[in-house]
């Protein structure tokens, strides 16, 4: 009986893990589809402006290609495959994550990276998703105009440190202790998967991510990754 109970528990754990991975893939695909949908809407609006039309269609193509890459990387992560590491310019990763967002309101971004050419040995596809998820969380938490997101990064002796801070309402106390667990969210339509996946990605790189209150009362996410 004890052996059967252990096997049943292992089976349940595998099913839960598979479900979490599937949900995470769906979450990432949904983000890409939102950008593609927005770009197609703009393409229809600008049918008579060929340069703008081509830019919108290029963005759709880019998002579809990126969705394929993200899903492949997430599934590889779930299977325990080694990360595909390469030297990546951090500033460009941040810019790419920002421009992939569908903004419903005006948000001011501030970025400070030191040195300006700071690079990381990482899986750029996965690390960009971390930035995208953190930015999207901040944007969805803003309750009105005047939203600001500040990204700071600097290289230490052995680690590269990163901070993403906003001036929103902050992390609700009811979810603060379980913020990085799957399906934990304070948003009405949230999935609770973006932060869980972000933690898995950061830890797979040998780093750590935490959430605290920011200097302006909003949320602050602090990460470190080992230097190459």
């Amino acid at each position: 009986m004890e052996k059967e109970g252990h096997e049943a528990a292992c089976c349940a754990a595998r099913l839960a893990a598979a479900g979490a991975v599937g949900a995470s893939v769906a979450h990432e695909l949904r983000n890409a589809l939102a950008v593609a949908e927005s770009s197609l809407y703009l393409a229809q609006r600008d049918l008579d402006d060929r340069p703008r039309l081509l830019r919108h269609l290029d963005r759709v193509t880019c998002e579809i290609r990126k969705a394929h890459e993200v899903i492949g990387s997430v599934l590889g992560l779930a299977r325990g495959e080694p990360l595909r590491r390469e030297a990546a310019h951090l500033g460009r990763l941040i810019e790419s994550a920002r421009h992939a967002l569908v903004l419903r309101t005006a948000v001011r971004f501030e970025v400070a990276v030191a040195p300006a050419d700071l690079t990381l040995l990482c899986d750029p596809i996965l690390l960009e998703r971390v930035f995208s998820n953190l930015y999207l969380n901040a944007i969805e938490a803003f309750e009105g105009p005047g939203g600001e997101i500040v990204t700071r990064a600097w290289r230490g002796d052995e680690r590269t440190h990163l901070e993403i801070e906003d001036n929103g309402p902050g992390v609700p106390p009811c979810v603060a202790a379980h913020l990085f667990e799957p399906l934990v969210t304070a948003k009405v339509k949230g999935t609770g998967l973006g932060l869980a996946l972000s933690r898995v990605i950061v830890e797979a790189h040998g780093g750590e991510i935490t959430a605290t209150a920011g200097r302006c009362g909003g949320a602050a996410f602090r990460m470190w990754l080992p230097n190459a």
Side-chain angles (χ1 to χ4, degrees):
M1 291 291 292
E2 183 177 346
K3 182 180 179 180
E4 291 178 358
H6 176 71
E7 290 178 351
C10 290
C11 181
R14 286 194 297 271
L15 287 173
V21 170
S24 296
V25 168
H27 171 77
E28 295 305 317
L29 184 57
R30 182 180 180 185
N31 289 343
L33 288 175
V35 177
E37 182 182 27
S38 174
S39 297
L40 287 174
Y41 169 80
L42 294 174
Q44 290 177 323
R45 185 196 65 184
D46 296 329
L47 283 175
D48 297 328
D49 188 333
R50 183 173 176 79
R52 286 190 176 185
L53 173 63
L54 292 177
R55 283 199 298 271
H56 298 319
L57 294 179
D58 283 344
R59 191 175 187 190
V60 173
T61 301
C62 179
E63 284 302 314
I64 292 173
R65 182 171 60 249
K66 185 181 293 185
H68 280 293
E69 294 173 342
V70 169
I71 291 170
S73 293
V74 170
L75 291 175
L77 193 64
R79 289 191 292 262
E81 297 175 1
L83 291 178
R84 181 182 60 84
R85 296 176 187 263
E86 61 182 73
H89 188 284
L90 183 58
R92 284 197 283 268
L93 284 183
I94 292 170
E95 283 300 304
S96 181
R98 283 176 50 190
H99 291 301
L101 298 171
V102 178
L103 301 180
R104 296 190 301 270
T105 183
V107 176
R108 189 177 77 86
F109 283 91
E110 180 181 328
V111 178
V113 178
D117 61 349
L118 197 158
T119 60
L120 290 171
L121 190 62
C122 64
D123 183 321
I125 295 171
L126 290 176
L127 197 58
E128 183 183 324
R129 299 317 303 163
V130 173
F131 289 118
S132 292
N133 283 326
L134 294 178
Y135 291 151
L136 187 60
N137 273 3
I139 291 166
E140 291 181 343
F142 290 140
E143 298 172 344
E148 296 182 0
I149 301 175
V150 179
T151 304
R152 307 179 187 91
W154 65 97
R155 185 182 296 278
D157 292 336
E158 298 180 354
R159 300 173 174 179
T160 294
H161 301 268
L162 305 104
E163 293 181 348
I164 296 178
E165 183 178 348
D166 64 65
N167 65 341
V171 179
C174 60
V175 300
H178 306 283
L179 194 60
F180 293 98
E181 296 176 11
L183 307 181
V184 174
T185 180
K187 295 182 289 187
V188 175
K189 296 184 179 179
T191 62
L193 293 167
L195 289 180
L197 181 59
S198 296
R199 182 181 67 175
V200 171
I201 292 171
V202 171
E203 291 180 349
H205 282 83
E208 183 178 303
I209 181 170
T210 58
T212 62
R215 298 172 179 83
C216 300
F221 291 88
R222 294 185 169 87
M223 296 172 276
W224 64 261
L225 296 169
N227 291 340

